[in-house]
Amino acid sequence: MATTRGNKPREAVKRQLVWPFSSLYVLTASAVETILPTEPVMADQIVITEKSSQAKDVRAAVGSRYGDILPAEGHLLDLLEPEDVVPDWKRWSPILLRPEGLYGTRPAEGGNKAAKLKAIREALRTAKRVWLATDCDREGQLIGQEILEHYEYRGQVMRVLFTAQDSQTIRDAFGRAKPNAEYARLYAAAVARRQADQIYNLSLTRTATVVLGQGARRIIGVGRVKTPTLAIVCKRELEIRNFVPISYFEVVATAKVAAGQFQMRHAPQERIVRREIAQDIANAAEGFEGALAVRVEDKRQGPPKLHDLPSLQKLCGSRFGWPASKTLEAAQELYDGEGKKIITYPRAEVRYLPQSLISDVPKIVAGLQMGQSFSTIPVPEPPVIRKGASGTFYDKGLEGASHHAVIPNVNTIDKLPEVWPRLSFDEKKLFDVIARAYLAALMPDFRYRQTTATLDVRGFEFRASGRQPINLGWRAAFPDWQPADEKGDEAQLLPPLRNGETALLQDPKIEDKETRPPPRYNEGTLIEAMQNAWRFVDDEVLRERLKEAKGIGTPATRAEIIGGLNRQRFLMAQGKHIVPTETGLSLFGVLKQADPALVDPGVTAQLECLLDDVVVGKQEMVGAIDAVCDVAQRIIGKLKEGAAAGGPPLLGAAVVNGSGSYPPTPAMKRFADSLARQKGITPPAGYRTSISICRKFLNEHVPKKANGETAGTLGTKPVSPAQLLYAKKIAQGKGVVIPDEAKASSAAMSAWIDSNRGTKRRKRGRGAGYKRAESMAPESTAPTKRSRKRKADTTAAASTPAKTNSVTGTPLRIPYGNKDVALKLGARYGSAGWYAPPGVDLSAFGERGWL
């Protein structure tokens, strides 16, 4: 019989709590241990979790009553390589790498994977029952079940699904565990995705490298999700570069009525592109009197949907400037961090809740309203429960998904006052976003009065509109938020207006306007674009079908795919935006010319649809793999045909020339703009984003010296010793290697320094120890080992600038004629030449290539 440990008495403790919680008395169990039966380990059954932290939480929740708890470390098994299946496939050739049946698995390398796999393998020898307690999504199903399939385990398997990692949720999950056979479709979908990606990615990477990359001396990585993602960014960049702004005009006048005055605007859909026409309209409006046509409507607006991971990443990116990976890391910590566990599973891909969670509403609301910040939010009693597609609780909206929207955890909500002080500042901000979204979903509609007034001025319509709130409803949960459509003219408060009353127009003005290109993507908006890939499809019927799909990639892999494209230098960060490098644009152009399907997000979205259909039984696993293989085979055929007919240009130097991957320095851009004005010429497209394009333009148009050399200092000046030392210091601090192309010239090195200085290394998230199924194609051949001497040289060189700067200052190379500028920037001249004294900011010198 099981024994229990002693239970120490609870005591009331008064605690001063940090925002948003007020000072209050709470009952705490700080001295009380969790009461669990200390049963002996059950030798005939085991529990498999996805990671060690999960194993710890399960052990705290259920002890050993379900057997020994053994953690994996992400995927403990990898798929076999093509040459392991068919030896002839070791030689790269343009063929479809599809084996008979499926690719087998083999033990993965790295970390403690081998030891963990061995422990599970040994336990399976005697286990009669296995409890799979990996993550509740498709990937979690694969991580656990692939081990059982690899070792041909034939005992009983139970599946434990939980969307939060507190003890109560885990105990409940074990209590309602179901036979694993009921999740066969979920496993089949995961297998289909992994197998299809292996076949598609490796087949097309090898084909593209062999057919298109002759002379490139590197692998041309093609990925089923990676390549269309690159295409999304490249298409936007080309759209921006090719955009020709159009000037147009609008006319604004002040309208006077009996109750006051307001602004009216003439802004027709057919833009006014000639100023003289706008002037005629302004002249007609001056002193015009006429009858207003006034329309007043009472409208209502429901709350926004709850958050999935993509919507969280987009919101945090725009509001806080966070990269997508940071949002996921913070959410993961709130989900399973030690002493936290206050939200549900973060890698959500739907924005609905099951109707079974309606009963949790009162407890979550009460727990949140214990805090000062949330207590001011007027959630009605009873809360508003919205069901169906336009609501919050919608069972049908969860079909094909194994977890619901991200919300506060009902089982830890009463512990929020004691958890709050443990949260970091960023974790508090993210929880605030999740909590307010949940409370807003339970509040009344936002009701407002929309007033629209129009005035016909000799055939030209002047218009004004305003919105007056009647009942804030759910908007009270976001007191500082103002939607974009309520800014500018739309935000003006109109005086009371009557239909037919007379208005007098005065002081008309012409406003100069200009069309703008679409904005560049940031990580959040790019992830949203990946999720809504149907927008890139022209076929109306197909667009409607794909709207119900989940886009390209998965919530768990999208940020990693973007990161992989950055590491391969196909994409790069430019401020808060993501832009393609010249290498990325070159690759996109070649692949698009070879076969548009390679870079079409719509094609990938269709394939994702088929893979998702496996989960709900609309598609068989083999059928989904066949569909992906058919697309890959057709593309391989077109690439081979194009090469035989002398088709798309080879990548060659365009891919190798990584120097185009960096933007020019500010000084180069200013110099190029100055030259363009002086000579009355138009700089080439991309000169502001590509250092190679900008340098070529300068070399062609900068005046030549008598000896034929280019005048000025922005040509191909070599990297200075001080500049190289500074770069090495940055490289050592960030744990990166300075690329060879950055060492090609002083300007290229300055650009590299600019793009790497002052950025912090990102903390690796919990899931970063293994790659998900959306694997990236290799960037290059096997990396070379750095010698001890090179490491020693790097360390010594990195330490030199600090020493020089603290004693004599940093050496500078100031070109002739720049004395006054150098002195203003803090430079000094001594016996050894120009230098920057200790404490002077070196960034301005680096931008000019003077380090």
Side-chain angles (χ1 to χ4, degrees):
M1 188 164 212
T3 60
T4 59
R5 289 193 279 264
N7 188 20
K8 298 182 181 180
R10 296 172 181 252
E11 54 182 327
V13 179
K14 184 176 183 179
R15 300 179 60 190
Q16 179 70 35
L17 299 169
V18 183
W19 179 93
F21 296 97
S22 58
S23 300
L24 67 155
Y25 284 91
V26 296
L27 285 176
T28 177
S30 58
V32 181
E33 294 180 74
T34 306
I35 305 173
L36 287 172
T38 54
E39 297 176 355
V41 174
M42 303 297 292
D44 61 347
Q45 57 183 354
I46 61 170
V47 178
I48 298 177
T49 66
E50 187 163 323
K51 48 204 166 192
S52 297
S53 61
Q54 207 172 52
K56 183 177 180 181
D57 291 337
V58 171
R59 195 171 292 113
V62 299
S64 58
R65 70 183 71 174
Y66 298 101
D68 198 6
I69 299 167
L70 302 172
E73 189 179 314
H75 284 281
L76 295 183
L77 297 164
D78 289 332
L79 293 183
L80 294 172
E81 292 296 322
E83 53 266 31
D84 297 330
V85 179
V86 179
D88 288 346
W89 286 351
K90 186 172 184 178
R91 180 180 177 82
W92 285 30
S93 57
I95 60 172
L96 185 71
L97 302 172
R98 184 171 189 182
E100 292 292 330
L102 301 176
Y103 277 96
T105 52
R106 64 179 179 188
E109 299 176 353
N112 295 318
K113 292 180 183 287
K116 291 181 176 179
L117 184 61
K118 180 181 179 182
I120 295 173
R121 182 192 67 203
E122 294 302 317
L124 288 175
R125 297 180 191 277
T126 56
K128 296 179 181 177
R129 177 185 295 167
V130 173
W131 301 81
L132 286 185
T134 47
D135 278 356
C136 60
D137 59 0
R138 178 170 47 202
E139 203 67 23
Q141 186 71 30
L142 178 63
I143 286 170
Q145 191 168 338
E146 68 181 352
I147 299 172
L148 306 182
E149 297 290 339
H150 183 80
Y151 291 117
E152 300 181 350
Y153 178 77
R154 294 295 175 260
Q156 184 184 22
V157 183
M158 302 295 290
R159 184 64 167 112
V160 183
L161 294 176
F162 44 85
T163 58
Q165 285 195 197
D166 61 281
S167 293
Q168 187 59 51
T169 298
I170 292 173
R171 283 194 288 270
D172 291 345
F174 272 90
R176 61 172 181 270
K178 297 179 179 179
N180 189 58
E182 295 189 21
Y183 300 94
R185 288 177 180 168
L186 192 65
Y187 178 67
V191 171
R193 179 178 295 275
R194 198 181 194 198
Q195 295 279 333
D197 280 342
Q198 169 110 333
I199 297 167
Y200 186 101
N201 295 354
L202 294 186
S203 298
L204 291 180
T205 291
R206 292 186 176 196
T207 298
T209 301
V210 171
V211 172
L212 303 176
Q214 299 170 21
R217 294 180 299 179
R218 66 174 287 178
I219 292 171
I220 303 175
V222 176
R224 187 179 60 84
V225 176
K226 180 187 73 171
T227 307
T229 301
L230 172 65
I232 291 173
V233 184
C234 289
K235 286 178 180 178
R236 175 62 55 87
E237 182 63 24
L238 293 174
E239 195 176 349
I240 292 170
R241 291 187 182 187
N242 296 327
F243 180 81
V244 178
I246 300 173
S247 296
Y248 65 98
F249 308 94
E250 293 180 357
V251 182
V252 181
T254 300
K256 288 193 174 183
V257 293
Q261 63 183 39
F262 57 98
Q263 297 292 307
M264 298 196 80
R265 178 178 297 271
H266 177 64
Q269 269 193 324
E270 292 282 334
R271 293 191 176 101
I272 305 169
V273 294
R274 292 169 57 193
R275 178 173 280 277
E276 55 267 29
I277 294 176
Q279 188 62 57
D280 290 343
I281 296 170
N283 294 339
E286 178 63 59
F288 179 85
E289 276 190 288
L292 287 174
V294 179
R295 186 174 73 251
V296 180
E297 298 176 279
D298 284 354
K299 294 188 175 183
R300 60 197 311 135
Q301 182 184 51
K305 291 187 182 298
L306 297 172
H307 287 295
D308 57 7
L309 180 59
S311 69
L312 276 178
Q313 289 171 320
K314 181 186 177 185
L315 186 147
C316 292
S318 62
R319 187 177 297 179
F320 309 137
W322 292 2
S325 56
K326 179 174 180 177
T327 302
L328 179 55
E329 287 173 13
Q332 192 71 33
E333 187 65 19
L334 290 173
Y335 169 65
D336 64 5
E338 183 66 32
K340 298 171 185 176
K341 304 175 178 57
I342 54 174
I343 65 167
T344 57
Y345 190 69
R347 290 181 171 87
E349 53 190 13
V350 293
R351 304 180 72 172
Y352 293 110
L353 297 177
Q355 293 189 21
S356 60
L357 296 189
I358 294 176
S359 59
D360 292 341
V361 168
K363 185 176 180 181
I364 295 178
V365 172
L368 290 174
Q369 293 195 324
M370 289 175 66
Q372 286 180 348
S373 178
F374 306 130
S375 64
T376 59
I377 299 175
V379 181
E381 180 54 48
V384 180
I385 303 297
R386 296 177 176 82
K387 300 179 183 178
S390 61
T392 302
F393 300 91
Y394 184 43
D395 288 344
K396 191 175 180 182
L398 291 161
E399 288 181 0
S402 49
H403 38 80
H404 53 67
V406 188
I407 62 171
N409 182 358
V410 65
N411 290 314
T412 55
I413 197 69
D414 55 342
K415 298 177 184 175
L416 205 50
E418 59 188 88
V419 171
W420 195 260
R422 302 186 199 126
L423 304 183
S424 70
F425 182 66
D426 287 339
E427 289 162 6
K428 288 176 181 177
K429 287 202 294 188
L430 183 59
F431 183 80
D432 184 82
V433 167
I434 294 168
R436 287 181 186 275
Y438 183 83
L439 294 175
L442 304 169
M443 297 170 68
D445 288 351
F446 167 51
R447 293 178 50 234
Y448 60 95
R449 181 164 291 120
Q450 181 77 45
T451 302
T452 305
T454 57
L455 182 62
D456 188 333
V457 181
R458 297 183 175 91
F460 302 108
E461 183 185 81
F462 278 70
R463 185 178 183 276
S465 63
R467 181 180 290 187
Q468 291 81 39
I470 299 173
N471 183 348
L472 281 178
W474 61 266
R475 287 276 294 271
F478 309 100
D480 300 324
W481 173 65
Q482 187 182 21
D485 63 355
E486 293 180 27
K487 298 174 184 176
D489 286 352
E490 299 292 327
Q492 68 173 319
L493 291 175
L494 300 178
L497 300 175
R498 299 188 321 276
N499 188 44
E501 75 171 297
T502 300
L504 171 65
L505 293 186
Q506 293 180 333
D507 194 24
K509 292 188 174 93
I510 298 174
E511 289 187 353
D512 292 47
K513 301 280 186 177
E514 190 176 74
T515 55
R516 295 182 179 181
R520 287 186 169 90
Y521 292 106
N522 58 40
E523 278 202 40
T525 55
L526 178 53
I527 283 175
E528 183 192 36
M530 294 170 72
Q531 186 184 27
N532 296 296
W534 57 269
R535 293 173 180 165
F536 302 99
V537 177
D538 294 327
D539 185 289
E540 285 298 327
V541 176
L542 186 56
R543 275 169 68 96
E544 290 304 313
R545 239 188 69 218
L546 292 178
K547 280 183 182 180
E548 301 302 317
K550 301 180 181 69
I552 62 175
T554 68
T557 60
R558 288 177 186 135
E560 175 58 29
I561 286 167
I562 296 170
L565 288 167
N566 274 279
R567 288 190 296 274
Q568 290 181 281
R569 291 185 299 187
F570 293 140
L571 298 180
M572 67 179 179
Q574 193 175 79
K576 66 179 182 180
H577 296 121
I578 293 176
V579 298
T581 63
E582 294 306 312
T583 302
L585 282 169
S586 175
L587 177 61
F588 164 72
V590 170
L591 294 180
K592 182 182 179 182
Q593 186 175 348
D595 188 347
L598 271 171
V599 294
D600 187 349
V603 171
T604 298
Q606 293 176 58
L607 298 179
E608 294 274 2
C609 233
L610 292 171
L611 293 169
D612 288 338
D613 283 348
V614 178
V615 179
V616 294
K618 294 180 182 178
Q619 177 68 258
E620 293 298 320
M621 177 182 73
V622 174
I625 297 173
D626 285 343
V628 176
C629 289
D630 288 345
V631 173
Q633 185 69 70
R634 184 180 62 78
I635 293 173
I636 290 170
K638 290 194 70 174
L639 289 174
K640 290 164 68 176
E641 289 171 12
L650 303 180
L651 291 181
V655 171
V656 176
N657 182 15
S659 62
S661 302
Y662 300 105
T665 66
M668 291 176 71
K669 287 187 281 189
R670 288 194 297 270
F671 194 12
D673 291 337
S674 175
L675 276 174
R677 286 193 300 270
Q678 290 174 15
K679 298 194 172 189
I681 56 178
T682 302
Y687 83 102
R688 299 187 68 83
T689 56
S690 167
I691 193 170
S692 58
I693 294 176
C694 191
R695 185 188 296 114
K696 182 180 178 183
F697 172 72
L698 293 175
N699 289 341
E700 288 174 355
H701 296 285
V702 170
K704 304 292 182 180
K705 292 181 179 179
N707 60 4
E709 294 180 1
T710 301
T713 59
L714 294 173
T716 55
K717 186 177 68 177
V719 178
S720 69
Q723 199 178 21
L724 182 59
L725 292 178
Y726 185 42
K728 285 182 177 179
K729 181 179 178 182
I730 293 173
Q732 186 191 35
K734 295 189 66 177
V736 298
V737 177
I738 304 171
D740 291 338
E741 56 267 21
K743 301 174 184 177
S745 69
S746 176
M749 181 61 78
S750 292
W752 186 87
I753 289 172
D754 285 343
S755 63
N756 287 276
R757 181 179 54 236
T759 56
K760 297 180 180 178
R761 293 183 69 186
R762 293 179 188 169
K763 181 180 176 183
R764 178 174 287 189
R766 288 182 175 273
Y770 59 92
K771 291 185 179 179
R772 295 276 182 171
E774 300 291 352
S775 59
M776 304 297 298
E779 173 183 349
S780 61
T781 52
T784 57
K785 295 183 179 179
R786 302 175 67 192
S787 68
R788 292 183 182 177
K789 182 180 184 300
R790 184 177 173 187
K791 288 183 179 178
D793 290 345
T794 302
T795 305
S799 63
T800 303
K803 182 178 179 181
T804 302
N805 196 33
S806 64
V807 180
T808 61
T810 302
L812 300 173
R813 296 179 60 176
I814 308 298
Y816 179 79
N818 291 279
K819 174 183 175 182
D820 292 338
V821 176
L823 289 173
K824 285 181 181 179
L825 294 174
R828 296 293 179 266
Y829 192 79
S831 59
W834 285 99
Y835 68 97
V840 171
D841 184 7
L842 300 176
S843 59
F845 300 104
E847 288 176 358
R848 291 166 169 79
W850 294 352
L851 281 175

